[in-house]
Amino acid sequence: MHQKSIEFTYTFLMNDDFLKPYDHSKEKEIYDLWEKSGFFNPDNLEKTDGNYCIIMPPPNANGSLHVGHAVMVAIEDIMIRYNRMKGKNTLWLPGADHAGFETQVVFEKKLEKEGTSRFEILKQEGGREILYKKIWDFTQSNKEHMENQVKQLGASCDWEREKFTLDPKIISVVYSTFKKLYNEGLVYRAKRIVNWCVKHQTSLSDLEVSWEQREDKLYYIKYKIPSQKREILIATTRPETIPGDVAIAVNPKDKRYKDLVGEKAIEPITQKEIPIVGDDAVDIGFGTGALKITPAHDGVDFEVGKRHSLETIATLNLDGRFNKLSGPFEGMKVNEAREKAVEILQKSGSLDKIDNYSHQVGTCYKCKSVIEPMILDQWFIDLSEKGKKEIVRPAIDSVKKGKIKIFPKFQEKIFFHWMENIRDWNISRQIVWGIPIPVWYCTACGKETVHIEKGSPKNCSACGHTELRKETDVFDTWFSSGQWPFATLQTSGENDFKNFYPTSVMETGYDILFFWVARMIMLGLYVTGKIPFETVYLHGLVRDKDKQKMSKSKGNVVDPLGVVEQFGADALRMALVVGNSPGQDVIYDENKIKGYRNFSNKLWNIARFVLASADSHGFNADLRGQLTAEDEKLLKQCEEIKTKASQEIENYRFSQAAEIAYHYVWHDFADKIIEDKKKILAENSDKSDSAITLLYLILLDSIKMLHPFMPFVTEAIYQRLPKKDKEFLMVEEW
RNA sequence: GGGCGUUUAGCUCAGUUGGUUAGAGCGUCACAUUGACAUUGUGAAGGUCAGAGGUUCAACUCCUCUAACGCCCACCA
């Protein structure tokens, strides 16, 4: 060791690698060295002190990473590297998400460009399998690409434990959860109003509906009441659904209509007779105070219909065209039918007036087409009755009692509000890309059989009949990713679940608090009886200079890899971490990245200077000189800075930690300490020994405290130290 | 209709339980500097901390109200 360091001191200055300026293009080589070292895998770490684990939010395997992912990688890698250097048994488990609906949407766009569609493929024999295979190949190549991107950002995660949401073992965990829910009566299949996207032809959960303000018309329509020889006026935005009307509802307290309850009215398009019912859901003050009830195509109406045992008339097909029950609208799409309805009503004198009306319309969050409420048989997780007590309540309590802490704290309020008002969760999707719901239906009695083992069930669990039809729906992706922390750890290393669950931190964007974090807490507690993670850290979203959200359609997305190539991953990471406090969005600014690229170079040159000086003064890292009292003080100051940075990291204040280290290294170490010691070194007095020792020790501490933030340049410097205690800075003692 | 966040220097943001002349980076200006670094150094200008009121010996920090911007939730046809 000693021999080696001596030899090194004489040769490193000849090494082209240590020339100015710092060359970040060598980052990849450094990453390869780390990966080969095996230290990303906690099993290979030296004696360790406690466990530390982060499960990486699995990026969607349907495209490439964006800067948002870079924020995620940067922040998580800071925590991981810090804790690893602190001597913890540290695991960062990476993964990828098949991202069911989202991926299918991306893939359908691709098909559209190729002049075909999912429906064309599905028409072929074995179409489902063909489409599935195509999307599978598509995600596999994306996944590989994405892994490389994560590597280029410097993520020190354990690739040997990488998971995909469609790994057979993961699927089997998801299936047992489903079966448990089923056996315990917490998941059910029922005809319910669901959010139907006509374009994608699948149902969506309430969270996937995006509400938009739209300018529409409010139509006032007269319904005749023959027995009383009068009319009742109703207001609606959807005259095209009139053939689906099965009643008119008024508020029983409404004096105007009190005596009409129980009477019959004539629906003005197909002229059928419908009852007038009294229901509290009707707002006396809105419109005319009378509401047409179309249970098949409206959520409120569906509830009213149930209360009054009304039939449902579904007039709209799944492809968004009206069927023959709609009478004159058959074959038309919604907008055409609406025009036609107005025309018919006008002719018959049933149309009283039309007002302009501005209201919220539910749309598909992906394609923005209007969501059609439809009654369909679907699978739901009960979160309102039994499930509220058994699934929702424990999740709320775990946060209330502080077992799970959320940063920033104000997000806890948002979490509570959503959880308190949660409704049953529709987990059925009518797409091919996803985990099939493991259910078969009996062709004789119609009952369902849940079968989670391989192959098909032999007979119906209810009547024993042998002819069964397989469910074609797949799970909502979030149902599987909601199980991610335990699903990954239960299926990786032997003791992983025992050692690492609950995990230390769940770090992700605040935009998926409900979609993902809330579901992980609920399902984690439900399945394992334990919280899935102790802390939730919600980072801000990256926006462009005009504070716009980055999106492909706006064309303002930044490819993190382009930035890495230009300025280095270290610089990008710093730029995304500094100024990013939890829950607060961060602005993407190239100048900022440039600034931290400069800092990489500064640090590099500090190291060059210190090591060159050490060399020319015959400094020996094994026989460090005695420090003068003054230098002792400076070293102590440096230690204090490092302690402060540690505290900030432990309190999840990464921005502050990074700034403290940055400021110290540049403006104290380089601008003051080095400048002062330069003179002493030039004089070559008896203080030189102390000076050079001091510089060396501060350099070592500096690269340690910067390593979690800027792993590459610090490691590159460490590798050039005349004497190293460890093979890599990555596993040095903090 | 509820709720949340933000408002501090030209720009982007820090400011942890209230405590001396309010900080950083970038930008601007002046000067310096060819042996660690021009991806540099030294220094300067620049803020009535959104507004109003209140609590306090003391408020950017706590309370109330107002405004602007942004976001989330919500089955009023």
Side-chain angles (χ1 to χ4, degrees):
Chain A
M1 189 62 85
H2 186 78
Q3 198 59 36
K4 193 179 164 193
S5 66
I6 294 286
E7 186 188 327
F8 185 72
T9 52
Y10 286 107
T11 56
F12 80 90
L13 282 177
M14 321 284 178
N15 191 339
D16 285 353
D17 278 347
F18 213 15
L19 289 176
K20 60 173 181 178
Y22 171 60
D23 177 12
H24 62 255
S25 69
K26 300 285 165 63
E27 285 176 347
K28 198 180 175 316
E29 289 166 34
I30 298 171
Y31 193 91
D32 288 343
L33 283 177
W34 285 331
E35 209 181 349
K36 272 186 208 131
S37 79
F39 292 134
F40 289 169
N41 182 338
D43 302 340
N44 300 327
L45 293 174
E46 280 177 32
K47 64 172 169 63
T48 49
D49 172 27
N51 297 307
Y52 191 88
C53 176
I54 295 178
I55 305 291
M56 184 189 291
N60 295 348
N62 58 26
S64 29
L65 299 191
H66 53 257
V67 269
H69 292 110
V71 171
M72 178 270 282
V73 167
I75 293 176
E76 290 175 27
D77 203 30
I78 289 167
M79 295 190 265
I80 288 292
R81 286 182 187 270
Y82 171 77
N83 281 286
R84 191 185 289 118
M85 289 173 79
K86 276 279 191 177
K88 294 249 176 83
N89 188 37
T90 304
L91 170 64
W92 188 12
L93 191 149
D97 196 336
H98 71 283
F101 178 62
E102 298 233 353
T103 297
Q104 187 156 317
V105 169
V106 172
F107 193 75
E108 282 186 41
K109 271 188 195 154
K110 196 169 118 89
L111 291 176
E112 258 173 49
K113 269 186 201 157
E114 292 162 8
T116 173
S117 78
R118 132 198 196 198
F119 303 105
E120 287 300 315
I121 295 173
L122 289 173
K123 272 184 209 157
Q124 306 168 38
E125 204 185 312
R128 264 186 96 85
E129 289 69 31
I130 294 169
L131 182 58
Y132 189 92
K133 177 75 172 60
K134 278 177 186 280
I135 304 180
W136 174 272
D137 294 342
F138 174 68
T139 54
Q140 292 309 298
S141 71
N142 281 318
K143 191 167 154 280
E144 205 174 305
H145 176 58
M146 197 192 76
E147 287 156 7
N148 282 324
Q149 290 184 300
V150 172
K151 288 179 183 183
Q152 291 191 51
L153 290 165
S156 61
C157 50
D158 182 7
W159 294 105
E160 290 169 41
R161 283 178 166 85
E162 190 191 11
K163 296 283 170 187
F164 184 45
T165 48
L166 295 183
D167 289 346
K169 281 183 181 172
I170 296 283
I171 292 179
S172 92
V173 170
V174 171
Y175 278 179
S176 352
T177 302
F178 179 75
K179 178 121 194 192
K180 180 174 157 73
L181 286 162
Y182 181 78
N183 290 343
E184 294 174 10
L186 290 165
V187 67
Y188 65 91
R189 181 175 141 98
K191 271 197 198 323
R192 286 290 160 85
I193 279 274
V194 298
N195 307 302
W196 186 259
C197 172
V198 171
K199 177 175 161 67
H200 295 117
Q201 299 200 20
T202 179
S203 63
L204 299 171
S205 71
D206 293 342
L207 278 177
E208 289 157 323
V209 177
S210 113
W211 293 87
E212 288 194 348
Q213 196 70 31
R214 295 253 172 114
E215 303 305 317
D216 268 325
K217 305 282 182 203
L218 188 60
Y219 304 90
Y220 290 79
I221 296 159
K222 293 180 261 188
Y223 284 51
K224 288 194 175 111
I225 306 171
S227 61
Q228 301 224 356
K229 297 205 165 94
R230 58 182 275 200
E231 289 165 339
I232 185 166
L233 198 60
I234 64 101
T236 181
T237 54
R238 306 206 56 186
E240 73 280 8
T241 64
I242 288 175
D245 288 358
V246 296
I248 285 174
V250 295
N251 192 304
K253 292 187 197 95
D254 193 332
K255 285 174 194 148
R256 293 172 293 180
Y257 305 123
K258 222 174 176 177
D259 49 334
L260 290 182
V261 175
E263 294 290 342
K264 306 273 187 203
I266 303 297
E267 166 265 288
I269 302 250
T270 64
Q271 309 295 326
K272 68 178 178 294
E273 199 175 59
I274 55 175
I276 298 173
V277 300
D279 196 287
D280 290 334
V282 182
D283 182 346
I284 297 175
F286 186 88
T288 65
L291 180 59
K292 76 185 198 66
I293 301 300
T294 320
H297 300 294
D298 185 277
V300 179
D301 295 8
F302 180 73
E303 295 301 321
V304 174
K306 268 211 300 201
R307 282 196 285 274
H308 299 275
S309 312
L310 300 167
E311 61 170 331
T312 58
I313 304 175
T315 54
L316 194 60
N317 287 339
L318 295 183
D319 63 359
R321 287 183 187 276
F322 282 95
N323 59 34
K324 61 181 173 209
L325 293 177
S326 72
F329 309 138
E330 188 178 355
M332 293 181 186
K333 287 192 179 178
V334 169
N335 286 337
E336 297 168 69
R338 189 170 298 174
E339 281 172 32
K340 182 82 181 167
V342 171
E343 191 191 311
I344 293 172
L345 293 166
Q346 236 157 8
K347 256 184 211 159
S348 66
S350 306
L351 186 62
D352 186 68
K353 62 167 176 171
I354 304 175
D355 279 354
N356 287 324
Y357 186 55
S358 174
H359 66 151
Q360 300 265 55
V361 177
T363 65
C364 168
Y365 79 116
K366 279 287 154 197
C367 69
K368 297 294 171 200
S369 48
V370 175
I371 290 293
E372 288 296 341
M374 296 271 200
I375 299 177
L376 293 171
D377 257 322
Q378 306 255 307
W379 286 93
F380 293 86
I381 296 184
D382 171 10
L383 296 173
S384 55
E385 307 276 329
K386 192 165 182 252
K388 181 95 180 192
K389 278 187 226 105
E390 294 177 26
I391 300 175
V392 180
R393 193 52 57 190
I396 293 175
D397 288 346
S398 67
V399 177
K400 269 211 172 115
K401 288 181 186 150
K403 284 187 198 156
I404 298 176
K405 289 196 180 63
I406 301 180
F407 289 93
K409 190 146 173 72
F410 73 80
Q411 292 280 357
E412 287 185 359
K413 276 191 242 175
I414 297 172
F415 170 81
F416 291 138
H417 180 261
W418 189 73
M419 292 289 281
E420 292 290 355
N421 296 293
I422 199 165
R423 292 157 60 192
D424 290 359
W425 174 17
N426 178 1
I427 52 168
S428 303
R429 294 294 176 276
Q430 293 68 51
I431 56 178
V432 307
W433 183 240
I435 301 176
I437 297 181
V439 171
W440 279 255
Y441 302 103
C442 179
T443 53
C445 74
K447 294 259 170 60
E448 70 246 6
T449 298
V450 173
H451 177 85
I452 64 171
E453 292 77 29
K454 271 194 180 152
S456 314
K458 294 217 164 59
N459 34 34
C460 168
S461 58
C463 72
H465 187 70
T466 52
E467 267 180 58
L468 302 169
R469 178 177 55 81
K470 193 174 188 306
E471 171 66 86
T472 54
D473 287 1
V474 301
F475 286 123
D476 179 358
T477 300
W478 299 104
F479 179 65
S480 45
S481 46
Q483 304 174 46
W484 202 232
F486 66 86
T488 49
L489 290 173
Q490 283 177 344
T491 55
S492 63
E494 209 175 312
N495 292 316
D496 283 1
F497 185 73
K498 190 177 121 240
N499 287 341
F500 298 114
Y501 191 93
T503 63
S504 311
V505 179
M506 174 47 63
E507 195 281 342
T508 188
Y510 65 79
D511 54 332
I512 52 175
L513 177 63
F514 306 144
F515 273 112
W516 197 40
V517 178
R519 268 93 176 248
M520 282 190 288
I521 297 175
M522 288 191 281
L523 291 171
L525 278 165
Y526 173 68
V527 172
T528 71
K530 286 193 205 164
I531 52 169
F533 30 71
E534 286 155 358
T535 298
V536 175
Y537 180 97
L538 300 167
H539 64 244
L541 275 32
V542 183
R543 293 172 183 275
D544 71 5
K545 274 188 203 126
D546 305 318
K547 300 198 177 182
Q548 294 293 304
K549 233 180 186 171
M550 290 193 177
S551 72
K552 273 180 196 157
S553 50
K554 279 183 197 145
N556 59 355
V557 285
V558 173
D559 171 16
L561 286 209
V563 181
V564 166
E565 257 168 54
Q566 204 178 349
F567 301 110
D570 289 333
L572 175 63
R573 292 166 58 124
M574 279 296 273
L576 293 176
V577 166
V578 175
N580 188 342
S581 52
Q584 224 56 57
D585 292 347
V586 62
I587 307 272
Y588 175 86
D589 179 6
E590 197 171 285
N591 277 327
K592 201 169 162 189
I593 299 170
K594 226 180 260 175
Y596 290 111
R597 187 269 319 265
N598 295 356
F599 180 56
S600 302
N601 186 53
K602 183 77 185 179
L603 184 61
W604 180 252
N605 280 294
I606 288 170
R608 288 180 65 222
F609 176 75
V610 171
L611 295 182
S613 304
D615 184 58
S616 60
H617 283 79
F619 170 75
N620 185 327
D622 281 328
L623 308 165
R624 286 164 188 170
Q626 201 67 13
L627 290 184
T628 63
E630 186 200 3
D631 288 350
E632 201 65 69
K633 227 172 109 185
L634 289 169
L635 184 62
K636 216 178 146 206
Q637 182 200 16
C638 173
E639 292 298 330
E640 279 163 14
I641 293 289
K642 199 169 77 177
T643 306
K644 203 151 175 239
S646 315
Q647 285 166 356
E648 298 290 18
I649 292 175
E650 279 169 28
N651 288 315
Y652 303 95
R653 295 152 59 90
F654 310 113
S655 174
Q656 280 83 340
E659 269 192 300
I660 287 169
Y662 170 88
H663 195 268
Y664 175 77
V665 168
W666 199 322
H667 300 297
D668 287 305
F669 186 29
D671 291 350
K672 298 202 183 83
I673 299 173
I674 291 183
E675 289 304 319
D676 288 349
K677 297 304 171 194
K678 253 183 198 169
K679 290 169 209 144
I680 291 171
L681 292 174
E683 289 162 5
N684 208 3
S685 67
D686 50 351
K687 284 181 180 168
S688 294
D689 261 7
S690 170
I692 198 67
T693 304
L694 177 75
L695 295 185
Y696 183 80
L697 294 177
I698 294 185
L699 173 66
L700 185 56
D701 259 349
S702 297
I703 58 176
K704 279 187 191 177
M705 77 177 134
L706 281 169
H707 184 256
F709 305 91
M710 315 180 79
F712 291 110
V713 64
T714 50
E715 185 71 76
I717 292 168
Y718 186 80
Q719 291 305 320
R720 287 166 176 81
L721 293 184
K723 179 179 176 288
K724 303 189 294 277
D725 291 336
K726 295 277 160 60
E727 205 180 336
F728 292 98
L729 177 57
M730 180 189 145
V731 287
E732 257 283 2
E733 268 173 51
W734 177 265

